[in-house]
Structure formats: structure tokens, C-alpha cells
Amino acid sequence: MSNRLNSTPNDLRAFWMPFTANRQFKKAPRLFVGAKDMYYTTHDGRQVLDGTAGLWCVNAGHCRPQITEAIREQAGELDYAPAFQLGHPKAFELANRLVDIAPDGMSHVFYTNSGSESVDTALKIALAYQRVKGEGTRTRLIGRERGYHGINFGGMSVGGIVGNRKMFGTLLTGVDHIRHTHQPDKNAFTKGQPEYGADLADDLERLVNLHDASTIAAVIVEPVAGSTGVLIPPKGYLQRLREICDKYGILLIFDEVITGFGRLGTPFATQYFDVKPDIITTAKGLTNGVIPMGAVFVTSEIHDAFMTGPEHLIEFAHGYTYSGNPIASAAGIGTLNTYRDEGLLTRASELAPYWEEQLHSLRDCPNVIDIRNIGLIGAIELAPIAGEPTKRAFNAFLKAYEDGLLIRTTGDIIALSPPLIITKEQIDELFGKLRKVLLNNI
Ligand code: PXG
């Protein structure tokens, strides 16, 4: 007798779903069966406006022809090429195209398959770079409270979300965290960057005084923290962090997994804030979320430091079976073509003022305690239901889904990050639906 579950198409039991309330979901499943441009189609035949670009990744909207075609063609031409000691043309072409839109000085690209892998790759590059430079005592990694850098051991260790950390033992050793920048008492309902909090970057000096700069390899932060509920950097904060890193020879890593590829109205947040990190991590929008792929950008200073020793030896012992996978590379090129042809890497800057105005018009809705925005990102923080944290926002998510709108929630915060192709009429539709949800006694 087989132990297999009854495998009818609608049997939901075998799939242990990621970051999902599995039991709740399986009682009342929410399945998407199609998508086009700004809308998903649900299994029960409804259209749902995508207010979150999937999970912050479908920046060009859904099922875009250049991307779909690129994947189709590549799958029939060259499906896989070994990633180590061999190559294929599209991985090189994509790397050059990426460097072209990257901030000045970012000259080399290391491929991964996800944001989490990009983060762990960046941390490894930072540690190894300090060592090849002769600064091997710099082994400490600094993250930030409320930071999200994916769920692998490196990213989880520098991350600062307690719920993602507490179950998994001692994590990486030699990691510390600077304070987060969220100060709702001072900055609630700020449009764009908050006034107060640049001095929070000085917290890095506290850790230098505690550990000594000679033990610190790198600091990693999200320029705009996304998963923790959209925390926008106070004016001057990122500049100050850069200055302190320079003062002490510490590498600065910007985790641009959600801010990369046009989310703020510039190709990368680095350009938006005019602060140059040493390493940038990306994923998501790199392939429009369609095929898993990530990329870590580094300066030539970092890359060239590894290019020493006998030429037949591998310079950096790191990489994945799927680094630069042909179909992912083709998807990346198709994505960049779409961004270029439709001006999507800068479109958010045109829409941002309208987005901001419509978002903040929800201020009068019940239980709204803060609204934050930057580029095409918005967040609405709700007062928790007494004794039941996260439930009010989750209720809003369920109600919005029923009403044809996809939002994301984290804690009691609603996060919004629509595809960059959204029109003003669709922005009106989004906030019209959300207003109804918030007025609905959730
Ligand atoms: N860094 C940052 C800044 C991220 O936002 C990752 C790393 C990890 O990426 P992967 O590809 O390994 O998931 C992320 C991922 C949300 C949400 O709703 C955000 C992410 C993923 C899923 C949901 O806030 N960010």
C-alpha cells in the first residue's frame, strides 16, 4: 500500500508553503491562474489589481512579450551551460548591460539565483576582499535592527527581524547591529524622507568603539527597508553612514533587492540618494521576477583585488550551479529591453507626486497611525487590534483580495509597490479599493 496522498489536482496538502499561514490558506485557498500587465486572474475567475508587483519583483508588469519571447527562444536554443570554467554569450551580454545602468564605479557582476543568495555572496565577497587586501582581522559583519536580507544564514544573521531569527540557533558569530531608523513619534505621516534621524547613523561609531574598526569588514543596509514595513531613510542618514564607513575602512553594502530596477525612479536607490556603496545586491526586478536570478555588483577596486596569483587558479571560491543560467540571462536581457523601451527605470519619478498625494489621502481612514512613501513605494501602518497583533492588517489583506486588490502586509503595516507601468487611473482604482477596505471595520 502506498503512503502517497491522494493526488488529485486540487489536493493542497503536500506543498508546505513559504512564509504562509498554511492552515488558513488551505481552508480558503487563494490561487492565481493567469496574469497580464497590471492584473492577476484568480482561480475563481476574478481580476485582481497587482498593488505589490508580485513580491516587489514584477516591475514591468505581467507576461510582457519581450521577456516571454526571450525565455521561449533561449529554452529551445541553449537550455543550460555549466557555470564553472565554461560560459555562454548571454551571461556576458547581460553583465555588460547591467553595468551600463549601474551606478558609476560598479563595474563587475556576480550572478546568483535570489536576493538571499546575493546577500550571502556580498558578505562573502566583503570578508574575502578584506583578507586579500591584507586586512584579515576584519571579520565582523554589521547589519541593522529591522533589516531584511533574506533567509539564508548570512542574511538572517545580519538581518534584524526577530521572528525570522529566533527559531534558528546562534546564527553567524561576530555579527552586530546598528539601530533602526523608525521614529514614528517624530516622523509620522512624513511625505518622502523624514527630517529626523540622520544622527542614528552615528550608532556605527558606537559599534566601532565597542569592537574596534580593525575587526569590522562591512556594514549592510537596505537603502529603503522594505519587508520590515517600509522604513525610509531620514535625510542625510545614508550620507552619514558612508562617511563613517570611509573614516574606518569599512565596506558599505546596499541591499537593493527591492529598490533596484526603477522602484524609486532611478535605476538604483544608490543613484536616487547619491550615496555610493562598495557593493550592491540585487535580484527580483532583474528578471522581472519571471525566472530566479540575482546579481551582486562590485567596484573594480574590489574585483581587481582578487585578480592576483597564478592565472590557472580560481580567484574566488564561490558560485552556484545556476549562476548566469542561460534562460535567466535571456530573461534578464528581455527585461532590460522592456525597461529601456518603456522608460520604466525612471517612470516612478514621474508618478511619485501623484502616488504620494493619493496615498496620503487615506490619512482620515480609521486606525491609520502612519503613512510613509518614496518613489513608487507606500506604507500604511494600522493600530493593532488589542491583544491580536498583525490581525488587522491580515484582515485588510483578505478583504482587499476579495475586492480585487493585491496588497502585502507585514506586522500591522500594509506595503504597496505596484508594477512601474501603473497608470494614474489604476492608482485611483488601487486607493479607491483600499479606502473601502479600511472603512470596512477590519
Ligand atoms: N534582501 C532584501 C532587501 C529583500 O527585500 C531579500 C534580500 C531576499 O530575496 P529572496 O529572493 O531570497 O526572497 C529580500 C526579499 C515583502 C517581501 O513582502 C520581501 C521580500 C521577499 C518576499 C516578500 O516585503 N524581500
PDB file of all heavy atoms in Angstrom, residues 256-276:
ATOM      1  N   GLU A 256      19.872  46.200  -2.451  1.00  0.00           N
ATOM      2  CA  GLU A 256      18.888  46.834  -3.350  1.00  0.00           C
ATOM      3  C   GLU A 256      17.959  45.797  -3.977  1.00  0.00           C
ATOM      4  O   GLU A 256      17.483  45.975  -5.101  1.00  0.00           O
ATOM      5  CB  GLU A 256      19.613  47.620  -4.442  1.00  0.00           C
ATOM      6  CG  GLU A 256      20.375  48.832  -3.924  1.00  0.00           C
ATOM      7  CD  GLU A 256      20.063  50.087  -4.728  1.00  0.00           C
ATOM      8  OE1 GLU A 256      18.916  50.212  -5.206  1.00  0.00           O
ATOM      9  OE2 GLU A 256      20.966  50.909  -4.880  1.00  0.00           O
ATOM     10  N   VAL A 257      17.702  44.725  -3.255  1.00  0.00           N
ATOM     11  CA  VAL A 257      16.849  43.675  -3.816  1.00  0.00           C
ATOM     12  C   VAL A 257      15.453  44.216  -4.142  1.00  0.00           C
ATOM     13  O   VAL A 257      14.864  43.829  -5.146  1.00  0.00           O
ATOM     14  CB  VAL A 257      16.809  42.445  -2.877  1.00  0.00           C
ATOM     15  CG1 VAL A 257      15.702  41.474  -3.265  1.00  0.00           C
ATOM     16  CG2 VAL A 257      18.154  41.727  -2.913  1.00  0.00           C
ATOM     17  N   ILE A 258      14.940  45.129  -3.336  1.00  0.00           N
ATOM     18  CA  ILE A 258      13.638  45.715  -3.723  1.00  0.00           C
ATOM     19  C   ILE A 258      13.760  47.102  -4.342  1.00  0.00           C
ATOM     20  O   ILE A 258      12.898  47.508  -5.110  1.00  0.00           O
ATOM     21  CB  ILE A 258      12.627  45.754  -2.556  1.00  0.00           C
ATOM     22  CG1 ILE A 258      13.136  46.637  -1.433  1.00  0.00           C
ATOM     23  CG2 ILE A 258      12.260  44.388  -2.064  1.00  0.00           C
ATOM     24  CD1 ILE A 258      12.022  47.118  -0.552  1.00  0.00           C
ATOM     25  N   THR A 259      14.820  47.835  -4.004  1.00  0.00           N
ATOM     26  CA  THR A 259      14.918  49.201  -4.545  1.00  0.00           C
ATOM     27  C   THR A 259      15.550  49.222  -5.935  1.00  0.00           C
ATOM     28  O   THR A 259      15.437  50.226  -6.641  1.00  0.00           O
ATOM     29  CB  THR A 259      15.727  50.112  -3.595  1.00  0.00           C
ATOM     30  OG1 THR A 259      16.967  49.462  -3.284  1.00  0.00           O
ATOM     31  CG2 THR A 259      14.954  50.414  -2.340  1.00  0.00           C
ATOM     32  N   GLY A 260      16.206  48.137  -6.332  1.00  0.00           N
ATOM     33  CA  GLY A 260      16.836  48.078  -7.653  1.00  0.00           C
ATOM     34  C   GLY A 260      15.812  48.057  -8.765  1.00  0.00           C
ATOM     35  O   GLY A 260      14.655  47.678  -8.559  1.00  0.00           O
ATOM     36  N   PHE A 261      16.232  48.481  -9.943  1.00  0.00           N
ATOM     37  CA  PHE A 261      15.426  48.426 -11.167  1.00  0.00           C
ATOM     38  C   PHE A 261      14.184  49.319 -11.112  1.00  0.00           C
ATOM     39  O   PHE A 261      13.069  48.893 -11.367  1.00  0.00           O
ATOM     40  CB  PHE A 261      15.102  46.966 -11.531  1.00  0.00           C
ATOM     41  CG  PHE A 261      16.370  46.167 -11.678  1.00  0.00           C
ATOM     42  CD1 PHE A 261      16.813  45.349 -10.652  1.00  0.00           C
ATOM     43  CD2 PHE A 261      17.167  46.292 -12.808  1.00  0.00           C
ATOM     44  CE1 PHE A 261      18.019  44.657 -10.749  1.00  0.00           C
ATOM     45  CE2 PHE A 261      18.377  45.610 -12.915  1.00  0.00           C
ATOM     46  CZ  PHE A 261      18.798  44.791 -11.890  1.00  0.00           C
ATOM     47  N   GLY A 262      14.446  50.578 -10.749  1.00  0.00           N
ATOM     48  CA  GLY A 262      13.464  51.632 -11.001  1.00  0.00           C
ATOM     49  C   GLY A 262      12.445  51.913  -9.928  1.00  0.00           C
ATOM     50  O   GLY A 262      11.587  52.770 -10.108  1.00  0.00           O
ATOM     51  N   ARG A 263      12.503  51.243  -8.807  1.00  0.00           N
ATOM     52  CA  ARG A 263      11.435  51.385  -7.803  1.00  0.00           C
ATOM     53  C   ARG A 263      11.329  52.835  -7.282  1.00  0.00           C
ATOM     54  O   ARG A 263      10.258  53.308  -6.940  1.00  0.00           O
ATOM     55  CB  ARG A 263      11.726  50.384  -6.663  1.00  0.00           C
ATOM     56  CG  ARG A 263      10.788  50.312  -5.520  1.00  0.00           C
ATOM     57  CD  ARG A 263       9.334  50.053  -5.820  1.00  0.00           C
ATOM     58  NE  ARG A 263       9.010  48.916  -6.643  1.00  0.00           N
ATOM     59  CZ  ARG A 263       7.850  48.797  -7.300  1.00  0.00           C
ATOM     60  NH1 ARG A 263       6.909  49.717  -7.198  1.00  0.00           N
ATOM     61  NH2 ARG A 263       7.613  47.747  -8.061  1.00  0.00           N
ATOM     62  N   LEU A 264      12.460  53.539  -7.223  1.00  0.00           N
ATOM     63  CA  LEU A 264      12.427  54.920  -6.704  1.00  0.00           C
ATOM     64  C   LEU A 264      12.437  55.967  -7.816  1.00  0.00           C
ATOM     65  O   LEU A 264      12.458  57.170  -7.539  1.00  0.00           O
ATOM     66  CB  LEU A 264      13.625  55.168  -5.764  1.00  0.00           C
ATOM     67  CG  LEU A 264      13.756  54.249  -4.545  1.00  0.00           C
ATOM     68  CD1 LEU A 264      14.880  54.721  -3.639  1.00  0.00           C
ATOM     69  CD2 LEU A 264      12.455  54.169  -3.764  1.00  0.00           C
ATOM     70  N   GLY A 265      12.507  55.514  -9.076  1.00  0.00           N
ATOM     71  CA  GLY A 265      12.545  56.488 -10.171  1.00  0.00           C
ATOM     72  C   GLY A 265      13.938  56.697 -10.731  1.00  0.00           C
ATOM     73  O   GLY A 265      14.147  57.533 -11.609  1.00  0.00           O
ATOM     74  N   THR A 266      14.893  55.964 -10.215  1.00  0.00           N
ATOM     75  CA  THR A 266      16.244  55.887 -10.783  1.00  0.00           C
ATOM     76  C   THR A 266      16.541  54.391 -10.896  1.00  0.00           C
ATOM     77  O   THR A 266      15.900  53.589 -10.199  1.00  0.00           O
ATOM     78  CB  THR A 266      17.294  56.532  -9.844  1.00  0.00           C
ATOM     79  OG1 THR A 266      17.088  56.015  -8.519  1.00  0.00           O
ATOM     80  CG2 THR A 266      17.161  58.040  -9.829  1.00  0.00           C
ATOM     81  N   PRO A 267      17.503  54.000 -11.742  1.00  0.00           N
ATOM     82  CA  PRO A 267      17.746  52.557 -11.858  1.00  0.00           C
ATOM     83  C   PRO A 267      17.976  51.899 -10.490  1.00  0.00           C
ATOM     84  O   PRO A 267      17.401  50.857 -10.191  1.00  0.00           O
ATOM     85  CB  PRO A 267      18.982  52.485 -12.753  1.00  0.00           C
ATOM     86  CG  PRO A 267      18.892  53.717 -13.609  1.00  0.00           C
ATOM     87  CD  PRO A 267      18.293  54.774 -12.726  1.00  0.00           C
ATOM     88  N   PHE A 268      18.790  52.538  -9.646  1.00  0.00           N
ATOM     89  CA  PHE A 268      19.060  52.005  -8.310  1.00  0.00           C
ATOM     90  C   PHE A 268      18.866  53.112  -7.270  1.00  0.00           C
ATOM     91  O   PHE A 268      18.985  54.297  -7.591  1.00  0.00           O
ATOM     92  CB  PHE A 268      20.492  51.443  -8.238  1.00  0.00           C
ATOM     93  CG  PHE A 268      20.678  50.283  -9.169  1.00  0.00           C
ATOM     94  CD1 PHE A 268      21.097  50.491 -10.476  1.00  0.00           C
ATOM     95  CD2 PHE A 268      20.377  48.990  -8.773  1.00  0.00           C
ATOM     96  CE1 PHE A 268      21.225  49.426 -11.364  1.00  0.00           C
ATOM     97  CE2 PHE A 268      20.495  47.919  -9.655  1.00  0.00           C
ATOM     98  CZ  PHE A 268      20.920  48.140 -10.946  1.00  0.00           C
ATOM     99  N   ALA A 269      18.610  52.715  -6.029  1.00  0.00           N
ATOM    100  CA  ALA A 269      18.450  53.704  -4.958  1.00  0.00           C
ATOM    101  C   ALA A 269      19.750  54.484  -4.747  1.00  0.00           C
ATOM    102  O   ALA A 269      19.738  55.643  -4.347  1.00  0.00           O
ATOM    103  CB  ALA A 269      18.044  53.004  -3.663  1.00  0.00           C
ATOM    104  N   THR A 270      20.858  53.812  -5.009  1.00  0.00           N
ATOM    105  CA  THR A 270      22.172  54.448  -4.910  1.00  0.00           C
ATOM    106  C   THR A 270      22.192  55.769  -5.676  1.00  0.00           C
ATOM    107  O   THR A 270      22.710  56.778  -5.193  1.00  0.00           O
ATOM    108  CB  THR A 270      23.210  53.477  -5.510  1.00  0.00           C
ATOM    109  OG1 THR A 270      23.120  52.257  -4.780  1.00  0.00           O
ATOM    110  CG2 THR A 270      24.611  54.019  -5.436  1.00  0.00           C
ATOM    111  N   GLN A 271      21.623  55.766  -6.875  1.00  0.00           N
ATOM    112  CA  GLN A 271      21.589  56.990  -7.680  1.00  0.00           C
ATOM    113  C   GLN A 271      20.571  57.980  -7.114  1.00  0.00           C
ATOM    114  O   GLN A 271      20.803  59.185  -7.111  1.00  0.00           O
ATOM    115  CB  GLN A 271      21.255  56.628  -9.136  1.00  0.00           C
ATOM    116  CG  GLN A 271      22.366  55.825  -9.799  1.00  0.00           C
ATOM    117  CD  GLN A 271      21.846  54.668 -10.643  1.00  0.00           C
ATOM    118  OE1 GLN A 271      20.779  54.118 -10.374  1.00  0.00           O
ATOM    119  NE2 GLN A 271      22.609  54.270 -11.655  1.00  0.00           N
ATOM    120  N   TYR A 272      19.483  57.483  -6.600  1.00  0.00           N
ATOM    121  CA  TYR A 272      18.447  58.353  -6.027  1.00  0.00           C
ATOM    122  C   TYR A 272      19.012  59.148  -4.846  1.00  0.00           C
ATOM    123  O   TYR A 272      18.801  60.346  -4.737  1.00  0.00           O
ATOM    124  CB  TYR A 272      17.253  57.500  -5.572  1.00  0.00           C
ATOM    125  CG  TYR A 272      16.092  58.284  -5.032  1.00  0.00           C
ATOM    126  CD1 TYR A 272      15.038  58.655  -5.862  1.00  0.00           C
ATOM    127  CD2 TYR A 272      16.033  58.653  -3.686  1.00  0.00           C
ATOM    128  CE1 TYR A 272      13.961  59.376  -5.371  1.00  0.00           C
ATOM    129  CE2 TYR A 272      14.966  59.370  -3.189  1.00  0.00           C
ATOM    130  CZ  TYR A 272      13.932  59.720  -4.034  1.00  0.00           C
ATOM    131  OH  TYR A 272      12.870  60.437  -3.540  1.00  0.00           O
ATOM    132  N   PHE A 273      19.722  58.437  -3.964  1.00  0.00           N
ATOM    133  CA  PHE A 273      20.223  59.107  -2.758  1.00  0.00           C
ATOM    134  C   PHE A 273      21.600  59.729  -2.969  1.00  0.00           C
ATOM    135  O   PHE A 273      22.117  60.408  -2.090  1.00  0.00           O
ATOM    136  CB  PHE A 273      20.281  58.102  -1.591  1.00  0.00           C
ATOM    137  CG  PHE A 273      18.921  57.619  -1.162  1.00  0.00           C
ATOM    138  CD1 PHE A 273      18.543  56.291  -1.330  1.00  0.00           C
ATOM    139  CD2 PHE A 273      18.011  58.501  -0.601  1.00  0.00           C
ATOM    140  CE1 PHE A 273      17.284  55.852  -0.940  1.00  0.00           C
ATOM    141  CE2 PHE A 273      16.754  58.065  -0.203  1.00  0.00           C
ATOM    142  CZ  PHE A 273      16.389  56.738  -0.379  1.00  0.00           C
ATOM    143  N   ASP A 274      22.206  59.440  -4.118  1.00  0.00           N
ATOM    144  CA  ASP A 274      23.540  59.941  -4.427  1.00  0.00           C
ATOM    145  C   ASP A 274      24.559  59.584  -3.332  1.00  0.00           C
ATOM    146  O   ASP A 274      25.318  60.426  -2.859  1.00  0.00           O
ATOM    147  CB  ASP A 274      23.487  61.463  -4.650  1.00  0.00           C
ATOM    148  CG  ASP A 274      24.756  61.956  -5.357  1.00  0.00           C
ATOM    149  OD1 ASP A 274      25.439  61.125  -5.984  1.00  0.00           O
ATOM    150  OD2 ASP A 274      25.065  63.161  -5.242  1.00  0.00           O
ATOM    151  N   VAL A 275      24.504  58.325  -2.934  1.00  0.00           N
ATOM    152  CA  VAL A 275      25.472  57.792  -1.969  1.00  0.00           C
ATOM    153  C   VAL A 275      26.024  56.518  -2.576  1.00  0.00           C
ATOM    154  O   VAL A 275      25.250  55.656  -2.990  1.00  0.00           O
ATOM    155  CB  VAL A 275      24.797  57.458  -0.624  1.00  0.00           C
ATOM    156  CG1 VAL A 275      25.784  56.797   0.334  1.00  0.00           C
ATOM    157  CG2 VAL A 275      24.213  58.711   0.008  1.00  0.00           C
ATOM    158  N   LYS A 276      27.340  56.409  -2.633  1.00  0.00           N
ATOM    159  CA  LYS A 276      27.926  55.253  -3.315  1.00  0.00           C
ATOM    160  C   LYS A 276      28.350  54.162  -2.349  1.00  0.00           C
ATOM    161  O   LYS A 276      29.268  54.358  -1.562  1.00  0.00           O
ATOM    162  CB  LYS A 276      29.172  55.702  -4.082  1.00  0.00           C
ATOM    163  CG  LYS A 276      28.849  56.252  -5.421  1.00  0.00           C
ATOM    164  CD  LYS A 276      30.062  56.203  -6.343  1.00  0.00           C
ATOM    165  CE  LYS A 276      29.711  56.950  -7.605  1.00  0.00           C
ATOM    166  NZ  LYS A 276      30.757  57.867  -8.037  1.00  0.00           N
TER     167      LYS A 276
END
